[in-house]
């Protein structure tokens, strides 16, 4: 049975370009749908009023932190499980999967506590506007208290990705996002006899979509993911396996959590100019997700391929996968640059942008998007570091980019008194990140990649 699985596992035998496309394309499509739901969510919230959009934008750091913990842990599960499959250690792969599910439940308990005890404190640290506070506390409390769907979805989708079954994750993510998009206007504005819930409706639509996606991901694993077994009967947590998961996952968690800190810090800087600047920053993150999400989907297809072939000792396949991924990522980001440069005003008008919001937002989108192509290379290289077990390189790079360079640069540029100058902190930070990425890539190439299979 095991010999049959080894011979047939496509990650070790299928032509690399076709393998990368077939594994990544479903993830890219599902993430595009997710990006669309993020945008649609904010478009409907903006119809309530600009303060509602600002409140949802201010919630982004906690939501980013939630995703950081869920997806970061799942990245550790994915990379470790894929490596064990490449090494033909099937029992170890099952143990990783079971401990990963256990960690997802612990993660939910953490954010349940944040939702109950920490949301009001979080908002009052950013604004004293009573309307924004009311909207924000209502929205974020629901998102945190019902966040179990986020963690179960992230974990079970990574289990599918680790065995190359990315088509099924496209179904789970796409279904959850579409349900969210459908429910948003119904619950926010009270259509079809439903109560008009406002901002709370957006939160409820979000968590329902996440829970449906989680249930589907669990069903898919039970039905089609025959290479791993996730039955929890008689399960006992393994400290050794959990440490191995977090050796890979913690850097990813920290990297994304740093993004949460950066967003919080930027909100604090921008709100000193005007609430509208914070709303613009929130809208930018929604819009850029439509460009970045396909690249993250590409990475989700790339990581198990590289991890599997690293475990199997196939250097040529590792190198070719990396090179192709960089080419595809740069092409995707180049399209994003063209769109942001040519029609930033039309993008902002999707969110009912006022003249003041357009005045702030148009130069912001144009300035920040200048660094997209450089970011493409850095994102792919960072995922390669994770797949090879050197996630700490990515973490160090992320700390340098967002905390050492971006936030201090934004603060110093804010001292000029011109809001437009603050946006240049993003290209400055990305150029620094590219330099650090090249340095680490050369090190890992010489120490690891050059010796694979020898």
């Amino acid at each position: 049975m095991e010999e049959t699985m080894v011979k047939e596992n496509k990650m070790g035998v299928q032509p690399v370009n076709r393998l990368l496309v077939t594994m990544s394309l479903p993830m890219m499509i599902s993430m595009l749908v997710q990006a669309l739901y993020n945008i649609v969510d904010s478009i409907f919230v903006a119809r309530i009023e600009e303060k509602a959009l600002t409140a949802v934008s201010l919630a982004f750091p906690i939501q980013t932190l939630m995703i950081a913990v869920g997806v970061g842990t799942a990245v550790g599960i994915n990379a470790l499980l894929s490596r064990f499959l490449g090494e033909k250690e099937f029992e170890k792969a099952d143990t990783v999967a079971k401990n990963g599910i256990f960690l997802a439940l612990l993660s939910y308990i953490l954010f349940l506590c944040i939702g109950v005890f920490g949301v009001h404190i979080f908002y009052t640290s950013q604004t004293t506007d009573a309307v924004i506070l009311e909207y924000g506390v209502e929205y974020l409390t629901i998102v945190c208290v019902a966040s179990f769907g986020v963690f179960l979805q992230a974990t079970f989708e990574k289990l599918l990705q680790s065995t190359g079954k990315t088509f099924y994750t496209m179904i789970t993510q796409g279904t959850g996002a579409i349900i969210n998009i459908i429910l948003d206007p119904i619950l926010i504005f009270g259509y079809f006899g439903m109560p008009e819930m406002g901002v709370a409706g957006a939160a409820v639509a979000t968590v329902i979509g996440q829970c449906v996606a989680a249930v589907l991901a669990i069903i898919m694993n039970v039905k089609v993911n025959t290479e791993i077994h996730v039955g929890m009967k008689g399960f006992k947590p393994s400290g050794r396996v959990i440490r191995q998961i977090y050796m890979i996952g913690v850097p990813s968690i920290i990297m994304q959590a740093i993004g949460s800190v950066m967003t919080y810090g930027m909100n604090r800087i921008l709100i000193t100019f005007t609430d509208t600047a914070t709303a613009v920053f929130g809208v930018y993150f929604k819009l850029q997700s439509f460009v970045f999400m396909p690249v993250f989907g590409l990475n989700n297809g790339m990581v198990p391929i590289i991890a599997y072939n690293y475990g199997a000792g196939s250097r040529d396949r590792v190198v070719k996968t990396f090179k192709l991924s960089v080419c595809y990522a740069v092409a995707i980001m180049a399209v994003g640059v063209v769109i942001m440069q040519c029609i930033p005003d039309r993008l902002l008008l999707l969110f009912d942008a006022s003249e003041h919001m357009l005045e702030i937002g148009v130069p912001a989108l144009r300035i920040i998007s200048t660094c997209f192509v450089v970011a493409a290379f850095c994102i792919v290289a960072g995922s390669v570091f994770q797949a090879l077990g050197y996630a700490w390189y990515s973490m160090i790079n992320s700390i340098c980019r967002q905390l050492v360079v971006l936030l201090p640069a934004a603060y110093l540029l804010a001292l000029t008194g011109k809001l437009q100058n603050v946006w240049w902190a993003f290209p400055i930070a990305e150029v620094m990140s590219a330099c650090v990425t090249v340095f680490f890539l050369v090190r890992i190439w010489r120490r690891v990649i050059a010796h694979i299979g020898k």
Side-chain angles (χ1 to χ4, degrees):
M1 177 68 176
E2 289 184 358
E3 289 181 3
T4 302
M5 287 194 296
V6 170
K7 290 178 182 177
E8 294 179 352
N9 194 301
K10 62 183 180 180
M11 288 189 287
V13 297
Q14 198 172 97
V16 172
N17 189 41
R18 186 171 71 184
L19 178 64
L20 180 63
V21 171
T22 56
M23 286 191 62
S24 299
L25 193 59
M27 295 305 306
M28 293 168 71
I29 293 171
S30 62
M31 287 197 162
L32 273 172
V33 174
Q34 284 199 338
L36 179 63
Y37 113 68
N38 282 330
I39 291 173
V40 171
D41 193 60
S42 292
I43 288 173
F44 285 127
V45 169
R47 297 292 190 273
I48 301 172
E49 64 169 304
E50 190 174 294
K51 286 183 182 291
L53 180 60
T54 301
V56 172
S57 298
L58 291 175
F60 198 71
I62 293 295
Q63 290 180 289
T64 303
L65 185 61
M66 188 184 302
I67 294 170
V69 174
V71 175
T73 302
V75 164
I77 297 166
N78 186 4
L80 188 61
L81 200 154
S82 295
R83 191 184 308 164
F84 282 144
L85 289 176
E87 294 170 353
K88 327 309 177 200
E89 296 283 359
F90 298 105
E91 288 186 9
K92 289 183 179 180
D94 289 346
T95 303
V96 172
K98 293 173 184 178
N99 279 273
I101 296 168
F102 171 71
L103 293 176
L105 297 175
L106 291 184
S107 299
Y108 164 63
I109 293 172
L110 170 63
F111 280 89
L112 171 64
C113 294
I114 292 174
V116 173
F117 302 110
V119 169
H120 191 269
I121 296 171
F122 170 75
Y123 266 95
T124 53
S125 71
Q126 298 182 88
T127 182
T128 57
D129 188 299
V131 176
I132 295 175
L133 279 173
E134 183 179 356
Y135 282 138
V137 170
E138 185 179 28
Y139 176 84
L140 192 54
T141 298
I142 295 170
V143 169
C144 288
V145 169
S147 62
F148 51 86
V150 173
F151 300 105
L152 292 177
Q153 179 187 355
T155 300
F156 280 94
E157 285 178 350
K158 288 297 183 185
L159 297 184
L160 289 166
Q161 291 171 28
S162 66
T163 55
K165 297 176 177 63
T166 54
F167 174 78
Y168 296 100
T169 60
M170 179 185 72
I171 296 174
T172 59
Q173 290 186 1
T175 302
I178 290 169
I179 287 174
N180 193 330
I181 292 171
I182 293 171
L183 290 179
D184 261 333
I186 295 173
L187 297 179
I188 291 172
F189 303 115
Y191 296 147
F192 305 112
M194 296 297 292
E196 184 177 341
M197 300 175 68
V199 170
V204 172
T206 296
V207 299
I208 289 175
Q210 292 165 346
C211 290
V212 170
V215 170
L216 280 177
I218 293 170
I219 292 171
M220 297 294 186
N221 271 279
V222 173
K223 295 292 185 181
V224 303
N225 210 7
T226 56
E227 289 176 281
I228 57 175
H229 306 89
V230 294
M232 301 297 286
K233 185 177 180 180
F235 166 76
K236 292 183 180 179
S238 168
R240 179 180 58 82
V241 172
I242 290 172
R243 282 194 299 273
Q244 287 180 302
I245 289 172
Y246 279 130
M247 281 292 290
I248 301 170
V250 164
S252 181
I253 293 171
I254 292 174
M255 279 190 296
Q256 294 183 70
I258 288 167
S260 176
V261 174
M262 181 276 292
T263 306
Y264 178 81
M266 284 297 297
N267 284 337
R268 292 288 300 269
I269 292 169
L270 293 171
I271 209 165
T272 60
F273 288 93
T274 171
D275 290 349
T276 303
T278 306
V280 166
F281 188 50
V283 166
Y284 158 72
F285 264 104
K286 300 293 184 178
L287 292 171
Q288 64 95 31
S289 70
F290 210 72
V291 182
F292 279 71
M293 282 294 193
V295 177
F296 294 145
L298 175 70
N299 281 358
N300 284 338
M302 176 194 72
V303 166
I305 297 172
I306 289 182
Y308 184 96
N309 286 285
Y310 175 42
S314 180
R315 185 175 74 89
D316 289 344
R317 291 177 67 82
V318 169
V319 173
K320 190 170 183 179
T321 302
F322 168 62
K323 290 181 177 179
L324 285 169
S325 297
V326 170
C327 292
Y328 288 137
V330 167
I332 292 167
M333 289 293 204
V335 173
V337 173
V338 172
I339 293 171
M340 292 279 191
Q341 294 295 323
C342 294
I343 55 169
D345 51 341
R346 295 182 186 178
L347 296 175
L348 291 165
L349 286 171
L350 292 173
F351 301 85
D352 275 4
S354 62
E355 286 298 322
H356 185 44
M357 191 171 179
L358 287 171
E359 183 184 354
I360 294 172
V362 168
L365 295 185
R366 284 178 171 156
I367 291 169
I368 298 175
S369 65
T370 58
C371 63
F372 280 4
V373 172
V374 177
F377 168 75
C378 296
I379 291 169
V380 173
S383 293
V384 171
F385 301 158
Q386 294 171 17
L388 297 176
Y390 284 76
W392 296 102
Y393 285 178
S394 298
M395 185 193 72
I396 293 169
N397 191 4
S398 186
I399 291 173
C400 291
R401 182 172 67 87
Q402 299 188 80
L403 300 187
V404 177
V405 177
L406 196 153
L407 275 183
Y411 175 75
L412 292 174
L413 290 168
L415 296 179
T416 64
K418 295 181 179 180
L419 176 59
Q420 186 169 322
N421 291 345
V422 176
W423 308 120
W424 285 103
F426 287 89
I428 291 170
E430 210 60 63
V431 170
M432 183 284 306
S433 176
C435 294
V436 175
T437 298
V438 169
F439 173 77
F440 282 139
L441 185 60
V442 170
R443 285 174 61 90
I444 206 168
W445 200 281
R446 291 174 177 172
R447 294 185 176 188
V448 180
I449 296 176
H451 302 286
I452 295 174
K454 292 184 179 180

